[in-house]
Amino acid sequence: MTKGQVSLRGKDILGLQGMTVDEMGLILDSAKEMKNIIDRDIKKVPTLRGKSIVNLFFEPSTRTRTSFELAGKYLGADVVNVTTSASSVVKGESLRDTLLTVEAMGVDIIVMRHEAEGSAEFAASAVSPVIVNAGDGAHEHPTQGLLDMFTIREKKGNISGLKVAIIGDILHSRVARSNIWALLKMGADVSVAGPRTLLPRDLEKHGVKVYDRVEAALEGADVVNILRIQRERQQKGLFPTTREYARIFGVNKDRLSLAKDDVLVMHPGPMNRGLEIAPDVAYSAQSAIQEQVKNGLAVRMAILFLVLMGGNDIEVSA
């Protein structure tokens, strides 16, 4: 199926578990064109002129919120950011009422991050604007998963057949879940490693190899995606100390040497340097961590364009 036979116009972007390979491919192909816009001296194009986007974030964010804001502005849309600390949520307004209020203002897209799993799906059922999930609890983070796929494909040429190791707190990670769904659908060999207390119990039935030793997952890996230890989501006792975690599971130069020589190193950010990732890995020649940020902007531009316009012809003239 070609790009022209797939359309995302008017479709909510809730997760990658329910997205087809063709839909993901359309987004990745469109993101390639969008990245050309980012590299221009003048980044503004009129593609979404007259469209309105609200970024509704109930959790802190730097990369995701800023890139969605810039994505909308680079494409000519009007973008408003709403943070709960400066909204009626602090007065007790419910999620439904907040969504209905935003909908009443005639917006076209609501980009939403919320701490509750399933909140994006709830939003899609509650209001008519397109909902783009910017992270719902520990459930999914589809745009992060897509930017990771874009980065892998850009650096490796293809995803099918690659050995990809995901290291760290899989249990609390929406990034891990979106990556796993996308990687499996695209034909990658997926391994995860971390403390047993941070590994979900049902991964193996989906075809994921699960290790409680990071060395086993890293051996022969083409790609290593290192996850942030999410201290804000941790319950006490999941691992003894951060020092102990770094000693046993932290990815350092010696452990990375078990992977292939041309291994691609990724991290969704923000990094806990010296905890899950050593500085000599984070800033190594194999690292694409900063490129992921740029690719995230391109992917989010592609999604906004595709869900509003539906086509493949991107107007790039000023």
Side-chain angles (χ1 to χ4, degrees):
M1 185 176 287
T2 64
K3 287 195 301 180
Q5 295 171 291
V6 181
S7 177
L8 291 172
R9 186 167 188 169
K11 183 168 183 176
D12 301 308
I13 306 298
L14 304 180
L16 300 188
Q17 186 176 10
M19 187 175 285
T20 68
V21 172
D22 292 321
E23 288 170 336
M24 287 189 281
L26 174 62
I27 294 169
L28 300 186
D29 290 343
S30 300
K32 186 176 180 180
E33 300 300 321
M34 294 298 179
K35 195 168 181 179
N36 294 330
I37 297 173
I38 298 170
D39 289 330
R40 298 183 346 178
D41 289 337
I42 299 175
K43 300 171 176 60
K44 196 89 165 181
V45 296
T47 309
L48 298 184
R49 181 180 293 160
K51 300 296 185 180
S52 56
I53 300 165
V54 169
N55 293 328
L56 183 60
F57 276 63
F58 293 80
E59 287 186 316
S61 173
T62 299
R63 292 155 188 78
T64 304
R65 195 187 76 172
T66 303
S67 62
F68 266 117
E69 180 179 2
L70 286 175
K73 289 181 175 179
Y74 284 176
L75 292 173
D78 296 309
V79 183
V80 175
N81 292 318
V82 177
T83 55
T84 55
S85 61
S87 75
S88 292
V89 171
V90 299
K91 301 177 181 179
E93 185 173 65
S94 69
L95 173 59
R96 180 187 291 273
D97 286 343
T98 299
L99 290 165
L100 290 171
T101 298
V102 174
E103 178 187 35
M105 297 178 185
V107 305
D108 298 291
I109 295 179
I110 298 174
V111 178
M112 192 177 85
R113 171 171 288 187
H114 196 278
E115 65 271 13
E117 289 83 358
S119 54
E121 187 173 356
F122 169 79
S125 69
V127 293
S128 58
V130 172
I131 301 297
V132 177
N133 182 9
D136 59 332
H139 178 229
E140 278 221 45
H141 193 346
T143 61
Q144 179 70 45
L146 288 164
L147 79 87
D148 289 342
M149 298 309 105
F150 184 85
T151 303
I152 295 171
R153 198 173 75 166
E154 184 178 59
K155 298 294 184 181
K156 295 294 185 179
N158 197 14
I159 296 174
S160 180
L162 293 179
K163 180 178 179 180
V164 181
I166 304 175
I167 309 298
D169 181 1
I170 312 296
L171 182 65
H172 298 94
S173 178
R174 53 194 174 208
V175 173
R177 284 173 175 79
S178 289
N179 267 263
I180 287 168
W181 296 129
L183 287 166
L184 290 175
K185 290 180 181 184
M186 293 187 172
D189 178 9
V190 183
S191 301
V192 300
R196 280 288 172 184
T197 52
L198 296 179
L199 295 174
R201 297 179 181 179
D202 62 346
L203 285 179
E204 290 174 304
K205 72 179 183 183
H206 297 292
V208 178
K209 297 180 178 68
V210 179
Y211 300 99
D212 54 13
R213 291 184 62 254
V214 68
E215 291 83 0
L218 288 174
E219 188 170 356
D222 296 287
V223 180
V224 177
N225 200 346
I226 304 162
L227 303 175
R228 179 174 67 92
I229 291 298
Q230 301 183 43
R231 302 182 192 190
E232 72 273 19
R233 298 189 196 279
Q234 295 289 351
Q235 299 175 12
K236 292 182 180 180
L238 293 179
F239 55 83
T241 64
T242 54
R243 179 179 294 181
E244 191 77 358
Y245 181 91
R247 184 179 69 82
I248 299 174
F249 295 99
V251 179
N252 53 36
K253 191 173 181 180
D254 288 340
R255 288 198 172 107
L256 191 65
S257 67
L258 296 169
K260 291 184 179 176
D261 292 340
D262 63 346
V263 64
L264 175 66
V265 174
M266 302 197 302
H267 191 297
M271 293 183 288
N272 295 305
R273 290 177 299 167
L275 179 52
E276 73 265 4
I277 186 170
D280 59 3
V281 172
Y283 304 112
S284 67
Q286 297 108 314
S287 172
I289 295 171
Q290 293 307 311
E291 194 69 17
Q292 284 176 267
V293 177
K294 187 175 188 179
N295 290 343
L297 176 53
V299 164
R300 286 159 184 143
M301 288 173 70
I303 288 172
L304 296 179
F305 167 75
L306 290 168
V307 299
L308 286 180
M309 308 305 291
N312 305 311
D313 297 324
I314 302 165
E315 184 181 350
V316 296
S317 59

